[in-house]
Amino acid sequence: MLEWSQIIQSLPMLLAGLWSTLQMSAVGLAIGFVIAVGVCGLRLSPRAVLRRLGGAYITIFRGVPLLIQLLFLYNVLPRLGLGVTPVVAAIAGLSLCCGAYIAEILRGGFLTLPKGQAESALMLGLSHRALLLRIQIPQVVRLTSPALVNEVILLIKASSLISVVGISELTRTAQNLAASTFLQLEFYLAAAALYCVLNVSLALLGSWLEIRLRRSGA
Amino acid sequence: MSASRANDAIIEARGMGKRFGDNTVLADIDLRVHRSEVVCLIGPSGSGKSTLLRCLAFLERYDEGEVELEGELLGFERGRQGQRVAASNRRVRQVRRNVGMVFQQFNLWPHMTVLANVTEALKRVKRLSRTDADNRGRAMLDKVGLADKAAAYPAQLSGGQQQRVAIARALAMEPHIMLFDEPTSALDPELVGEVLQVMKQLAAEGMTMVVVTHEMGFAAQVADTVVFLDQGKVVARGSPSEVFRHAESPRLQQFLQNYLERNAFWDTLEESTTHA
């Protein structure tokens, strides 16, 4: 039988872990999105040098496992004289990595936009900036919203890896509780359930947003 | 054109050439378009007529010669020694500010309503207030017969209606020149008429127009000048009657013959009805 009383007793700790997971993921995502817009811009640049620079970024941060990136940030950088706190290492790892994935998602969206839409905008005198902000980005966000929601969920699950730099997020909290009480089944089930509830909620929020976006236009 | 109008060319291309790699797509193009003149560019596919039009808008960079719009050099500036240097994006925008363009694929923005499509540049480029932009936008939609579609999205309209919105969107900016790149080629045949009707009305109002088209009836009826291109060169030009009735070039004769044959079923149809 499951030890429900133990789970309920430890619920505040588990929820604190969940909150930490959420915070880290949210900040990582926000910074990652800014990185992604920049890298996507590089990848779509007419200049070959900039395209290669963007390509190199993607190669590194999409190619190396997040776990290695985190260990590198936390353990190797201090040896090079760049001491980083666990929180900084965790957020840097998450944002650098999801920035690479989101950049590619956005690039895919830009490539599906017909070239003619930009030509008509430029012929009407719109600046490149207005073209991007008013014509292209709104459509790209719509087109890529399913893939972006997917990426957010992947990010939240990947955030379990930041436990290796000493952040007490949900996974680390469950691990500690399981070890101290010997109730492995209970606490890993509880953690699994909390991740699942969070991600299902996000998926529902995503489909609701998608329907709203569809309603307002093509 | 009479000699008195020789100097009021609103578009002037001199010795313009364009290459894609080793492939010369336009060679030595001279073209003058006068205020209120309607010029139709015709020719087989691949003859360079669309590329020529796109060079006049600097959507394609031309490699040789010069294009002037209302006396201003398009796409380039003259350097200190008189050499050609590429102009900035801002300068290009400035020189073509009075050019409106209509595309084969309409190129409306699908995430915006019809009215928002028409008013976007009014607000962002002409800096009109929302109310003024909406008023002018509605007037333009009314002009193309689509006042009732202001709140619709492009995907909810027929191709002919979308193209009329695209025309309204270009006209809202009060252009001096309208360029049309095969405006009816993507349309179902029964929708072609409504778009040509709007274009005829524009021509009648004195708009300067350059039209790349396969609609020979439109060219014959509306054009002041018809220019026939083949393999990147101007092979014949003149009034519609000169080009269509007195074609001298064998290439032009062959091109027109194809059209006659395609429409020949009308004659057989008429014969059978008269005999009935």
Side-chain angles (χ1 to χ4, degrees), chain A residues 12 37 55 83 88 150 154 175 207 216:
Chain A
V37 170
V88 170
N150 212 25
L154 285 173
Q175 221 173 0
S207 17
S216 62

Side-chain angles (χ1 to χ4, degrees), chain B residues 109-235:
Chain B
W109 305 308
H111 62 301
M112 293 183 178
T113 64
V114 161
L115 184 63
N117 264 276
V118 178
T119 56
E120 180 67 20
L122 291 176
K123 289 184 281 197
R124 303 256 150 193
V125 181
K126 297 259 186 202
R127 305 272 169 210
L128 293 192
S129 71
R130 198 196 167 88
T131 326
D132 290 349
D134 282 358
N135 285 340
R136 197 193 287 180
R138 284 180 201 283
M140 288 302 137
L141 288 173
D142 193 39
K143 188 179 168 74
V144 298
L146 290 171
D148 55 328
K149 298 291 184 189
Y153 284 90
Q156 297 165 318
L157 304 185
S158 73
Q161 290 172 328
Q162 289 188 50
Q163 193 60 296
R164 282 147 67 199
V165 172
I167 294 173
R169 180 174 68 171
L171 289 178
M173 299 300 283
E174 300 177 312
H176 301 170
I177 302 164
M178 284 286 281
L179 305 178
F180 293 85
D181 189 3
E182 302 202 24
T184 58
S185 295
L187 299 177
D188 288 339
E190 78 270 21
L191 302 178
V192 168
E194 63 189 69
V195 173
L196 293 183
Q197 195 50 48
V198 169
M199 292 169 63
K200 280 178 198 168
Q201 182 196 333
L202 261 186
E205 289 168 7
M207 177 62 77
T208 309
M209 295 163 61
V210 181
V211 186
V212 171
T213 188
H214 292 287
E215 296 292 330
M216 294 306 137
F218 176 83
Q221 211 184 327
V222 182
D224 299 302
T225 307
V226 177
V227 176
F228 174 71
L229 276 97
D230 186 44
Q231 297 181 341
K233 295 199 179 81
V234 174
V235 174

Side-chain angles (χ1 to χ4, degrees), chain A residues 116-117 119-128 134-135 138-139 142 216-218, chain B residues 54 57 89 93 96 99 103 107-112 120-121 124-125 153 169 173:
Chain A
Q117 286 186 21
E119 289 185 343
S120 62
L122 296 177
M123 284 309 294
L124 289 161
L126 291 179
S127 63
H128 282 86
R134 298 283 305 164
I135 312 295
Q139 291 188 73
R142 260 163 236 220
S216 62
Chain B
R54 290 170 60 81
N89 286 335
R93 261 207 310 274
R96 72 177 172 205
V99 180
F103 300 85
N107 297 346
L108 298 177
W109 305 308
H111 62 301
M112 293 183 178
E120 180 67 20
R124 303 256 150 193
V125 181
Y153 284 90
R169 180 174 68 171
M173 299 300 283

Side-chain angles (χ1 to χ4, degrees), chain A residues 74-206:
Chain A
Y74 193 57
N75 297 323
V76 180
L77 285 190
R79 292 204 182 178
L80 305 173
L82 277 167
V84 286
T85 65
V87 172
V88 170
I91 288 174
L94 289 176
S95 49
L96 288 169
C97 183
C98 82
Y101 284 102
I102 295 176
E104 285 297 274
I105 292 173
L106 294 179
R107 189 171 70 92
F110 272 101
L111 291 179
T112 60
L113 293 182
K115 207 172 132 234
Q117 286 186 21
E119 289 185 343
S120 62
L122 296 177
M123 284 309 294
L124 289 161
L126 291 179
S127 63
H128 282 86
R129 188 186 144 86
L131 167 66
L132 195 66
L133 293 179
R134 298 283 305 164
I135 312 295
Q136 295 183 321
I137 286 183
Q139 291 188 73
V140 165
V141 169
R142 260 163 236 220
L143 285 164
T144 58
S145 62
L148 289 175
V149 169
N150 212 25
E151 178 55 30
V152 171
I153 289 173
L154 285 173
L155 171 72
I156 285 173
K157 293 193 295 179
S159 75
S160 62
L161 293 171
I162 63 177
S163 56
V164 300
V165 298
I167 303 277
S168 298
E169 40 65 72
L170 182 54
T171 300
R172 169 55 67 89
T173 306
Q175 221 173 0
N176 288 344
L177 288 166
S180 59
T181 59
F182 298 103
L183 295 171
Q184 315 270 356
L185 177 64
E186 281 80 355
F187 283 109
Y188 288 135
L189 263 183
L194 286 174
Y195 273 118
C196 221
V197 166
L198 177 59
N199 286 334
V200 167
S201 319
L202 280 169
L204 288 174
L205 182 70

Side-chain angles (χ1 to χ4, degrees), chain B residues 4 34 42 67 74 81 92 98 156 218 220 232 244:
Chain B
S4 63
H34 299 89
I42 64 170
V67 175
L74 174 67
Q81 276 94 41
V92 171
N98 294 322
Q156 297 165 318
F218 176 83
F244 292 132

